Short mmCIF file of all heavy atoms in Angstrom, two decimals:
data_model
loop_
_atom_site.label_atom_id
_atom_site.label_comp_id
_atom_site.label_asym_id
_atom_site.label_seq_id
_atom_site.Cartn_x
_atom_site.Cartn_y
_atom_site.Cartn_z
N THR A 11 -27.90 63.79 12.00
CA THR A 11 -27.83 62.58 12.80
C THR A 11 -28.52 61.44 12.05
O THR A 11 -28.93 61.60 10.89
CB THR A 11 -28.44 62.80 14.18
OG1 THR A 11 -28.21 61.66 15.01
CG2 THR A 11 -29.94 63.08 14.10
N TYR A 12 -28.65 60.31 12.69
CA TYR A 12 -29.25 59.15 12.05
C TYR A 12 -30.78 59.25 12.08
O TYR A 12 -31.36 59.89 12.96
CB TYR A 12 -28.78 57.86 12.72
CG TYR A 12 -29.14 57.73 14.20
CD1 TYR A 12 -30.32 57.09 14.61
CD2 TYR A 12 -28.30 58.24 15.19
CE1 TYR A 12 -30.65 56.97 15.95
CE2 TYR A 12 -28.62 58.11 16.53
CZ TYR A 12 -29.80 57.48 16.91
OH TYR A 12 -30.13 57.37 18.24
N ASN A 13 -31.41 58.59 11.12
CA ASN A 13 -32.87 58.56 11.10
C ASN A 13 -33.41 57.95 12.38
O ASN A 13 -32.87 56.96 12.89
CB ASN A 13 -33.37 57.76 9.90
CG ASN A 13 -33.32 58.56 8.61
OD1 ASN A 13 -32.92 59.73 8.60
ND2 ASN A 13 -33.73 57.94 7.50
N ARG A 14 -34.48 58.56 12.88
CA ARG A 14 -35.20 58.20 14.10
C ARG A 14 -34.64 58.87 15.35
O ARG A 14 -35.25 58.81 16.42
CB ARG A 14 -35.29 56.67 14.30
CG ARG A 14 -35.96 55.93 13.14
CD ARG A 14 -36.32 54.50 13.51
NE ARG A 14 -37.35 54.46 14.55
CZ ARG A 14 -38.65 54.59 14.32
NH1 ARG A 14 -39.10 54.80 13.09
NH2 ARG A 14 -39.50 54.51 15.31
N ALA A 15 -33.49 59.53 15.24
CA ALA A 15 -32.89 60.18 16.42
C ALA A 15 -33.64 61.45 16.78
O ALA A 15 -33.98 62.26 15.91
CB ALA A 15 -31.43 60.49 16.16
N ILE A 16 -33.87 61.66 18.06
CA ILE A 16 -34.53 62.86 18.57
C ILE A 16 -33.54 63.63 19.43
O ILE A 16 -33.29 63.28 20.60
CB ILE A 16 -35.80 62.53 19.40
CG1 ILE A 16 -36.82 61.78 18.56
CG2 ILE A 16 -36.40 63.80 20.02
CD1 ILE A 16 -37.49 62.62 17.49
N GLY A 17 -32.92 64.66 18.85
CA GLY A 17 -32.05 65.54 19.64
C GLY A 17 -30.77 64.90 20.14
O GLY A 17 -30.20 65.38 21.12
N VAL A 18 -30.33 63.82 19.47
CA VAL A 18 -29.05 63.21 19.85
C VAL A 18 -28.21 63.02 18.59
O VAL A 18 -28.73 62.98 17.47
CB VAL A 18 -29.25 61.84 20.56
CG1 VAL A 18 -30.00 62.01 21.87
CG2 VAL A 18 -29.96 60.84 19.64
N ASP A 19 -26.89 62.90 18.79
CA ASP A 19 -26.00 62.75 17.64
C ASP A 19 -25.88 61.29 17.24
O ASP A 19 -26.59 60.42 17.76
CB ASP A 19 -24.64 63.38 17.94
CG ASP A 19 -23.90 62.70 19.10
OD1 ASP A 19 -24.27 61.55 19.46
OD2 ASP A 19 -22.97 63.31 19.66
N THR A 20 -24.97 60.99 16.33
CA THR A 20 -24.83 59.63 15.82
C THR A 20 -24.31 58.67 16.89
O THR A 20 -24.42 57.45 16.73
CB THR A 20 -23.88 59.60 14.61
OG1 THR A 20 -22.63 60.22 14.98
CG2 THR A 20 -24.48 60.37 13.44
N LEU A 21 -23.76 59.21 17.97
CA LEU A 21 -23.31 58.38 19.11
C LEU A 21 -24.35 58.36 20.21
O LEU A 21 -24.08 57.90 21.32
CB LEU A 21 -21.97 58.91 19.64
CG LEU A 21 -20.81 58.92 18.63
CD1 LEU A 21 -19.56 59.54 19.25
CD2 LEU A 21 -20.53 57.51 18.13
N GLN A 22 -25.53 58.89 19.90
CA GLN A 22 -26.67 58.93 20.82
C GLN A 22 -26.41 59.82 22.04
O GLN A 22 -26.98 59.63 23.12
CB GLN A 22 -27.07 57.52 21.27
CG GLN A 22 -27.49 56.63 20.10
CD GLN A 22 -28.02 55.27 20.52
OE1 GLN A 22 -27.90 54.89 21.68
NE2 GLN A 22 -28.62 54.55 19.58
N GLN A 23 -25.56 60.84 21.82
CA GLN A 23 -25.30 61.82 22.87
C GLN A 23 -26.16 63.07 22.63
O GLN A 23 -26.39 63.45 21.49
CB GLN A 23 -23.83 62.21 22.89
CG GLN A 23 -22.90 61.04 23.22
CD GLN A 23 -23.22 60.41 24.57
OE1 GLN A 23 -23.25 61.11 25.61
NE2 GLN A 23 -23.50 59.12 24.56
N PRO A 24 -26.65 63.71 23.70
CA PRO A 24 -27.53 64.88 23.54
C PRO A 24 -26.87 66.01 22.76
O PRO A 24 -25.68 66.29 22.93
CB PRO A 24 -27.82 65.30 24.98
CG PRO A 24 -27.57 64.08 25.80
CD PRO A 24 -26.45 63.35 25.12
N LEU A 25 -27.66 66.64 21.92
CA LEU A 25 -27.22 67.83 21.19
C LEU A 25 -27.94 69.05 21.75
O LEU A 25 -29.11 68.97 22.14
CB LEU A 25 -27.57 67.68 19.70
CG LEU A 25 -26.78 66.63 18.91
CD1 LEU A 25 -27.46 66.36 17.58
CD2 LEU A 25 -25.34 67.09 18.70
N VAL A 26 -27.26 70.16 21.78
CA VAL A 26 -27.87 71.39 22.31
C VAL A 26 -28.82 71.97 21.27
O VAL A 26 -28.45 72.16 20.11
CB VAL A 26 -26.79 72.42 22.66
CG1 VAL A 26 -27.43 73.74 23.13
CG2 VAL A 26 -25.85 71.87 23.74
N ASN A 27 -30.05 72.23 21.68
CA ASN A 27 -31.04 72.80 20.76
C ASN A 27 -31.20 74.30 20.99
O ASN A 27 -30.58 74.88 21.88
CB ASN A 27 -32.38 72.06 20.89
CG ASN A 27 -32.93 72.10 22.31
OD1 ASN A 27 -32.94 73.14 22.95
ND2 ASN A 27 -33.43 70.96 22.78
N TYR A 28 -32.05 74.93 20.19
CA TYR A 28 -32.25 76.39 20.27
C TYR A 28 -32.62 76.85 21.67
O TYR A 28 -32.04 77.80 22.22
CB TYR A 28 -33.34 76.84 19.30
CG TYR A 28 -32.95 76.88 17.86
CD1 TYR A 28 -33.48 75.97 16.95
CD2 TYR A 28 -32.03 77.83 17.38
CE1 TYR A 28 -33.13 76.00 15.61
CE2 TYR A 28 -31.68 77.86 16.04
CZ TYR A 28 -32.23 76.95 15.17
OH TYR A 28 -31.88 76.98 13.84
N SER A 29 -33.65 76.21 22.23
CA SER A 29 -34.14 76.70 23.53
C SER A 29 -33.08 76.59 24.61
O SER A 29 -32.98 77.46 25.49
CB SER A 29 -35.41 75.94 23.94
OG SER A 29 -35.15 74.57 24.12
N GLU A 30 -32.28 75.52 24.56
CA GLU A 30 -31.23 75.35 25.56
C GLU A 30 -30.11 76.37 25.38
O GLU A 30 -29.65 76.98 26.36
CB GLU A 30 -30.67 73.92 25.47
CG GLU A 30 -31.69 72.87 25.88
CD GLU A 30 -31.31 71.46 25.47
OE1 GLU A 30 -30.46 71.30 24.57
OE2 GLU A 30 -31.90 70.51 26.02
N LEU A 31 -29.67 76.57 24.16
CA LEU A 31 -28.59 77.53 23.92
C LEU A 31 -29.05 78.96 24.17
O LEU A 31 -28.36 79.75 24.83
CB LEU A 31 -28.10 77.39 22.48
CG LEU A 31 -27.01 78.36 22.05
CD1 LEU A 31 -25.75 78.17 22.88
CD2 LEU A 31 -26.69 78.21 20.57
N LEU A 32 -30.23 79.30 23.64
CA LEU A 32 -30.69 80.68 23.74
C LEU A 32 -31.08 81.07 25.16
O LEU A 32 -31.07 82.26 25.51
CB LEU A 32 -31.86 80.90 22.78
CG LEU A 32 -31.52 80.80 21.30
CD1 LEU A 32 -32.78 80.99 20.45
CD2 LEU A 32 -30.47 81.82 20.90
N SER A 33 -31.42 80.08 25.99
CA SER A 33 -31.76 80.40 27.38
C SER A 33 -30.56 81.01 28.11
O SER A 33 -30.72 81.80 29.05
CB SER A 33 -32.24 79.15 28.13
OG SER A 33 -31.18 78.21 28.26
N GLU A 34 -29.35 80.66 27.66
CA GLU A 34 -28.14 81.23 28.25
C GLU A 34 -27.99 82.71 27.91
O GLU A 34 -27.21 83.43 28.54
CB GLU A 34 -26.92 80.45 27.76
CG GLU A 34 -26.94 78.98 28.15
CD GLU A 34 -25.75 78.22 27.58
OE1 GLU A 34 -24.86 78.88 26.99
OE2 GLU A 34 -25.71 76.98 27.72
N TYR A 35 -28.72 83.16 26.91
CA TYR A 35 -28.68 84.57 26.50
C TYR A 35 -30.00 85.28 26.84
O TYR A 35 -30.33 86.29 26.24
CB TYR A 35 -28.41 84.66 25.00
CG TYR A 35 -27.05 84.12 24.61
CD1 TYR A 35 -26.89 82.80 24.21
CD2 TYR A 35 -25.91 84.93 24.64
CE1 TYR A 35 -25.66 82.29 23.85
CE2 TYR A 35 -24.67 84.44 24.28
CZ TYR A 35 -24.55 83.12 23.89
OH TYR A 35 -23.30 82.62 23.54
N ASN A 36 -30.72 84.70 27.81
CA ASN A 36 -31.93 85.32 28.34
C ASN A 36 -33.11 85.30 27.37
O ASN A 36 -34.01 86.13 27.45
CB ASN A 36 -31.66 86.77 28.78
CG ASN A 36 -32.65 87.23 29.84
OD1 ASN A 36 -33.10 86.44 30.67
ND2 ASN A 36 -33.00 88.50 29.81
N TYR A 37 -33.11 84.36 26.44
CA TYR A 37 -34.24 84.18 25.53
C TYR A 37 -35.29 83.29 26.17
O TYR A 37 -34.98 82.41 26.99
CB TYR A 37 -33.80 83.50 24.23
CG TYR A 37 -33.19 84.41 23.20
CD1 TYR A 37 -31.93 84.97 23.38
CD2 TYR A 37 -33.84 84.66 21.99
CE1 TYR A 37 -31.34 85.78 22.41
CE2 TYR A 37 -33.26 85.47 21.02
CZ TYR A 37 -32.02 86.02 21.24
OH TYR A 37 -31.45 86.81 20.28
N VAL A 38 -36.53 83.50 25.77
CA VAL A 38 -37.59 82.54 26.07
C VAL A 38 -37.96 81.86 24.75
O VAL A 38 -37.79 82.44 23.67
CB VAL A 38 -38.83 83.21 26.69
CG1 VAL A 38 -38.52 83.68 28.11
CG2 VAL A 38 -39.32 84.37 25.83
N SER A 39 -38.46 80.63 24.85
CA SER A 39 -38.71 79.85 23.64
C SER A 39 -40.07 79.17 23.69
O SER A 39 -40.61 78.89 24.76
CB SER A 39 -37.63 78.78 23.44
OG SER A 39 -36.35 79.38 23.29
N GLY A 40 -40.60 78.88 22.50
CA GLY A 40 -41.87 78.20 22.41
C GLY A 40 -41.90 77.22 21.25
O GLY A 40 -41.10 77.32 20.31
N CYS A 41 -42.82 76.28 21.33
CA CYS A 41 -42.97 75.25 20.30
C CYS A 41 -44.47 75.01 20.07
O CYS A 41 -45.19 74.66 21.01
CB CYS A 41 -42.29 73.97 20.76
SG CYS A 41 -42.42 72.60 19.59
N ILE A 42 -44.90 75.20 18.83
CA ILE A 42 -46.31 75.02 18.47
C ILE A 42 -46.38 74.05 17.30
O ILE A 42 -45.62 74.16 16.33
CB ILE A 42 -46.95 76.37 18.06
CG1 ILE A 42 -46.94 77.35 19.24
CG2 ILE A 42 -48.37 76.17 17.55
CD1 ILE A 42 -47.37 78.76 18.87
#
C-alpha cells in the first residue's frame, strides 16, 4: 500500500490482517 497507510489499501479500504483472518479458524492472536 502507500506510505503512511495503516491496514488499508491504496484506495484507503480496510485490508484483512492476520488476527482477523485467523480468528475465523479459531486462532487467538497477540501483538507485542
